[in-house]
């Protein structure tokens, strides 16, 4: 009887908390999937974001409608339609925070803010993420680390620090609700 009660307690605890044991592994550790978000989902969302940045730059270079593509990327990958998005881009000084779609698009492809030079228009040939850590909670995930942008013209890689937050929409897609990035600190001594 005690075994049955213990099993019921464990099952109820996982059910109520939204946590389900998953066979997915990361660094030889069992991964807990909460509310259907896994570390693999975060990695896939990061890959999709990187590919989108490359695609915008390619569209710009090929004289295609890169602005429409950027708007589509913001609509598909960011949670502006779900609620608040906290976006602090790398190269922004006057308007440091981009809390609406229009300002986010401006950052990536130039637009309504004169300080914007079109980050995605560099263009970049590759974006790769190295997560320092991923935290998955009941309804969201946060990843922090470095991402590296490869300049399509020179092949040189630029290292940028990031923190991305994710939520799931009602269709189960991870969307960015927090995006903070900055260039690494360089001491001047």
């Amino acid at each position: 009887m005690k075994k049955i009660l213990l099993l019921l307690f464990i099952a109820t605890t996982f059910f109520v908390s939204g946590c389900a044991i998953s066979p997915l592994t990361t660094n030889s550790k069992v991964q807990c999937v909460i509310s259907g978000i896994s570390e693999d989902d975060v990695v896939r969302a990061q890959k999709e974001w990187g590919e989108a940045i490359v695609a915008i730059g390619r569209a710009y270079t090929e004289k295609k409608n890169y602005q429409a593509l950027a708007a589509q990327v913001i609509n598909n990958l960011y949670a502006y339609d779900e609620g608040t998005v906290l976006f602090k881009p790398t190269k922004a000084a006057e308007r440091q925070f981009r809390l609406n779609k229009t300002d986010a698009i401006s950052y990536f492809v130039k637009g309504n803010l004169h300080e914007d030079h079109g980050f995605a228009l560099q263009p970049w040939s590759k974006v790769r993420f190295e997560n320092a850590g991923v935290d998955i909670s009941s309804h969201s995930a946060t990843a922090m680390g470095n991402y590296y942008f490869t300049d399509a013209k020179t092949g040189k890689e630029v290292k940028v620090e990031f923190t991305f937050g994710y939520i799931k929409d009602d269709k189960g897609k991870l969307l960015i609700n927090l995006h903070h990035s900055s260039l690494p600190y360089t001491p001047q001594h």
Side-chain angles (χ1 to χ4, degrees):
M1 182 68 172
K2 287 182 181 181
K3 285 183 182 179
I4 292 172
L5 287 175
L6 179 61
L7 289 172
L8 282 173
F9 172 75
I10 291 169
T12 304
T13 301
F14 282 115
F15 177 75
V16 170
S17 71
C19 183
I21 300 299
S22 169
L24 303 174
T25 58
T26 304
N27 298 329
S28 302
K29 295 179 185 175
V30 172
Q31 190 181 95
C32 186
V33 178
I34 301 175
S35 294
I37 299 175
S38 72
E39 189 171 336
D40 287 342
D41 293 330
V42 171
V43 169
R44 276 191 294 277
Q46 290 171 334
K47 183 176 189 253
E48 185 178 8
W49 185 90
E51 289 171 351
I53 296 301
V54 169
I56 293 168
R58 187 178 315 112
Y60 174 73
T61 302
E62 295 172 357
K63 299 187 184 338
K64 294 182 179 174
N65 194 348
Y66 63 92
Q67 293 164 322
L69 179 57
Q72 181 183 355
V73 165
I74 296 299
N75 283 329
N76 290 341
L77 301 185
Y78 286 80
Y80 286 105
D81 291 335
E82 306 292 318
T84 302
V85 173
L86 305 174
F87 179 16
K88 170 32 185 120
T90 308
K91 296 180 175 185
E94 294 171 25
R95 180 88 54 95
Q96 294 171 275
F97 307 106
R98 306 304 172 88
L99 305 179
N100 62 62
K101 286 183 193 182
T102 302
D103 290 352
I105 293 167
S106 178
Y107 176 72
F108 287 116
V109 294
K110 300 185 228 178
N112 64 319
L113 302 172
H114 76 278
E115 76 173 320
D116 292 337
H117 300 286
F119 180 80
L121 306 182
Q122 177 72 25
W124 307 106
S125 62
K126 181 180 176 185
V127 179
R128 68 180 174 88
F129 282 76
E130 285 185 1
N131 291 317
V134 175
D135 180 48
I136 299 173
S137 61
S138 60
H139 300 290
S140 63
T142 308
M144 182 176 70
N146 294 309
Y147 47 1
Y148 299 83
F149 297 84
T150 303
D151 187 309
K153 297 172 188 169
T154 67
K156 291 184 181 178
E157 217 175 41
V158 177
K159 175 178 151 180
V160 181
E161 301 161 343
F162 76 88
T163 303
F164 274 40
Y166 301 92
I167 58 170
K168 268 197 173 180
D169 69 7
D170 58 359
K171 295 175 188 148
K173 179 171 175 57
L174 277 191
L175 298 173
I176 300 164
N177 70 341
L178 167 67
H179 174 165
H180 180 276
S181 59
S182 56
L183 294 169
Y185 171 68
T186 305
Q188 299 298 319
H189 17 268

